[in-house]
Amino acid sequence: MARVSNGFVGFINILTLLLSLAALGGAFFLYLNHASTACQKTLQEPLLIVGAALFVVSLLGLFGSCCRVNSLLYVYLFFMFLLILGLICSTVFTILVTNKGVGNAVSGRGFKEYRLGDYSNWLQTYAVNDQNWPSIKGCLVETKMCSSESLGVTNSQEAAADFYKRSLSPTQSGCCKPPTYCGFDYKNATLWTVPKTGPAVPDTDCTTWSNNQEALCYDCKSCKAGILANLKKEWRLLAVINTCILVFVILVYSVGCCALRNNTSSNYSRYKGGYA
């Protein structure tokens, strides 16, 4: 049993060690090749932190199980326990902050529109605040989210009725066009004009809209709401993934406890035999 439990813990930590090396390699690749771009920077730091943490914990588990060093196994199991607590807290927190916010169907449109006030106060305060938004906006501009190609428009003279039938993503719906209630006149997918009478509604999003491809509605509340709609979808998926990981980590933690107990029993037996 001791060999099985130690072997299982060792095998799992070899896999996580390889995963950590891949994460560290990805972080350094981004640093060497794309360090100046906003999108790559947002991905680089999490990869580096997760990779380094996995690397250290994997080494502790690997040497602790294969070399039967109980002190390393104690430290390894302590970090695993913290990971279990972290996964439980993050999963519960993710569900709580994403329990609000839905897209609003618009008559005659194939896409939905999103309002910032529909989402939780925490997401509004911390996810799309003034400090974070410039980086998010820079990433949207960099990826050309609102280009005709990204919107799937191949005909620059596409009729308004055809454009309105398109199934736009929440980000594209909120950032790449003015809100429908503004009453702007459609010219093409990237050009909208204000009626001579002005916007239909005196809303800040209507006055913020610009046909400049690096401005568009990137500073609109509808754009922030579209980002939160995507974030909600991704975080809900993350909660499911976290739950699966939690079950697996608890299994590894239990086997690790068995390996520690078996190592302690084996060491005690050898000590007792030597003393005799």
Side-chain angles (χ1 to χ4, degrees), residues 183-196:
F184 285 6
D185 296 325
Y186 170 90
K187 297 301 180 183
N188 60 48
T190 57
L191 180 63
W192 300 74
T193 59
V194 184
K196 292 181 179 180

Side-chain angles (χ1 to χ4, degrees), residues 41-60:
K41 284 182 178 179
T42 59
L43 183 62
Q44 177 188 335
E45 290 184 4
L47 272 178
L48 186 60
I49 294 172
V50 171
L54 275 177
F55 182 78
V56 173
V57 174
S58 297
L59 286 181
L60 289 172

Side-chain angles (χ1 to χ4, degrees), residues 108-111 155-166 184-189 191-192:
R109 303 291 188 266
F111 48 79
N155 179 12
S156 60
Q157 303 302 318
E158 181 181 52
D162 294 328
F163 177 81
Y164 291 144
K165 293 177 182 178
R166 291 193 171 277
F184 285 6
D185 296 325
Y186 170 90
K187 297 301 180 183
N188 60 48
L191 180 63
W192 300 74

Side-chain angles (χ1 to χ4, degrees), residues 6 9-10 13 17 56-70 72-73 263:
N6 280 280
V9 174
N13 281 282
L17 183 63
V56 173
V57 174
S58 297
L59 286 181
L60 289 172
L62 189 60
F63 284 109
S65 59
C66 295
C67 301
R68 298 192 179 184
V69 183
N70 283 352
L72 293 181
L73 269 181
N263 286 352

Side-chain angles (χ1 to χ4, degrees), residues 64-101:
S65 59
C66 295
C67 301
R68 298 192 179 184
V69 183
N70 283 352
S71 58
L72 293 181
L73 269 181
Y74 275 117
V75 178
Y76 171 73
L77 290 175
F78 173 73
F79 281 115
M80 292 292 284
F81 179 72
L82 292 181
L83 177 60
I84 291 172
L85 288 180
L87 285 171
I88 293 174
C89 293
S90 66
T91 302
V92 173
F93 175 76
T94 298
I95 293 173
L96 289 177
V97 299
T98 58
N99 67 338
K100 295 175 60 179

